[in-house]
Amino acid sequence: MPALLLLPLLFLTGLVAGLVDSIAGGGGLITIPVLLGVGMPPQAALGTNKLQASFGSGSAMLTFVRSGTVRLDDCRAGIAYTAIGAALGTITVQMLDPALLRHAIPWLLVAIVLYTLLTPRLGYEDIHARVKPGPFFFAAGLVLGFYDGFLGPGTGSFWVMALMLGLGFNMTRATGYTKVMNFTSNVASLALFICGGSVLWREGLIMGVGQFVGARIGARMVVRKGTRFIRPVFVTMVLAITAKLIWQNFH
């Protein structure tokens, strides 16, 4: 595809993905197929995707921090453990076949959708935390960070659910803190992809600009409209991720 058409396409892809991802996750459903579709080798597509996704999650994170939805001091442990987990996951995926984990993930996502639908008040307000922040971020950071570095689809959905059930966050607050963790795992994975020479900088930066703009718009919508707005988008994106993974893995 000529650069005259390719670069605007990548910018628009990043814009739409950043908007969707900042609200409910699942931006990779949009970006990865486009990157592969324009002819990138799989490893370069994954590395370039982490570059552009870092702009989106970083932009959304800044918006949530500035609005007061997120306090970075409250999640320092989560940032540290998520970075470690993501680095380990990125290293591991280059040595192991992720097929086993890939087959299990769709059913976990189905469970998230069912639980969300069967508990209609889930996420509308903060509730009493079931786990203290220290142990929660140690376990969730390492496990979900590893998963994001190893495979990735649905990471944001898992984080939102974990924060609501473990720390008792409402859905708006959980979405904000999820972006902090997404940004952390994106940057940690990106560093390793850069070391492996698997990042196309021009394409990734063009998409990154679109991601930054789209994520800023989406995060502001979340802050303004709250859980009533997030919930249906969240359920829709989890179903879309689940359907895509089932189609890929069992078709």
Side-chain angles (χ1 to χ4, degrees), residues 78-197:
I79 292 170
Y81 291 126
T82 299
I84 293 169
L88 292 174
T90 305
I91 292 169
T92 304
V93 76
Q94 298 177 60
M95 299 186 294
L96 299 178
D97 180 3
L100 180 62
L101 184 59
R102 190 182 293 120
H103 287 310
I105 294 305
W107 309 115
L108 294 176
L109 290 167
V110 168
I112 285 180
V113 171
L114 290 175
Y115 189 84
T116 302
L117 293 175
L118 293 173
T119 50
R121 296 301 303 170
L122 178 69
Y124 275 89
E125 56 188 23
D126 288 342
I127 60 174
H128 181 70
R130 294 179 172 89
V131 185
K132 291 183 178 179
F136 171 82
F137 280 123
F138 172 76
L142 288 178
V143 171
L144 295 179
F146 181 91
Y147 171 68
D148 197 23
F150 187 78
L151 195 57
T155 303
S157 305
F158 290 129
W159 264 117
V160 169
M161 186 60 66
L163 287 160
M164 289 194 296
L165 295 180
L167 297 185
F169 287 4
N170 64 59
M171 191 171 277
T172 301
R173 192 177 177 199
T175 301
Y177 278 79
T178 291
K179 291 302 116 185
V180 177
M181 302 311 159
N182 285 158
F183 178 69
T184 300
S185 54
N186 282 336
V187 170
S189 294
L190 173 61
L192 292 172
F193 278 118
I194 291 173
C195 291

Side-chain angles (χ1 to χ4, degrees), residues 3-93:
L4 187 64
L5 297 177
L6 174 62
L7 297 183
L9 171 64
L10 293 178
F11 173 82
L12 289 173
T13 301
L15 179 70
V16 174
L19 176 65
V20 170
D21 202 57
S22 63
I23 298 170
L29 283 180
I30 300 168
T31 55
I32 292 290
V34 170
L35 291 172
L36 293 172
V38 298
M40 285 190 193
Q43 198 73 3
L46 292 173
T48 304
N49 184 62
K50 287 296 182 185
L51 172 61
Q52 62 90 32
S54 297
F55 281 83
S57 55
S59 173
M61 179 186 72
L62 287 174
T63 301
F64 285 120
V65 170
R66 288 172 178 168
S67 71
T69 304
V70 170
R71 285 172 48 87
L72 290 178
D73 287 346
D74 294 343
C75 52
R76 287 180 179 175
I79 292 170
Y81 291 126
T82 299
I84 293 169
L88 292 174
T90 305
I91 292 169
T92 304
V93 76

Side-chain angles (χ1 to χ4, degrees), residues 181-240:
M181 302 311 159
N182 285 158
F183 178 69
T184 300
S185 54
N186 282 336
V187 170
S189 294
L190 173 61
L192 292 172
F193 278 118
I194 291 173
C195 291
S198 298
V199 176
L200 300 182
W201 288 95
R202 182 186 66 170
E203 290 82 352
L205 291 173
I206 289 292
M207 291 184 76
V209 174
Q211 272 270 0
F212 187 90
V213 175
R216 193 172 183 84
I217 295 169
R220 286 178 173 176
M221 292 170 70
V222 170
V223 171
R224 210 167 51 240
K225 299 186 177 182
T227 298
R228 189 177 298 276
F229 168 69
I230 304 169
R231 187 182 175 92
V233 182
F234 174 79
V235 170
T236 301
M237 288 309 301
V238 174
L239 286 172

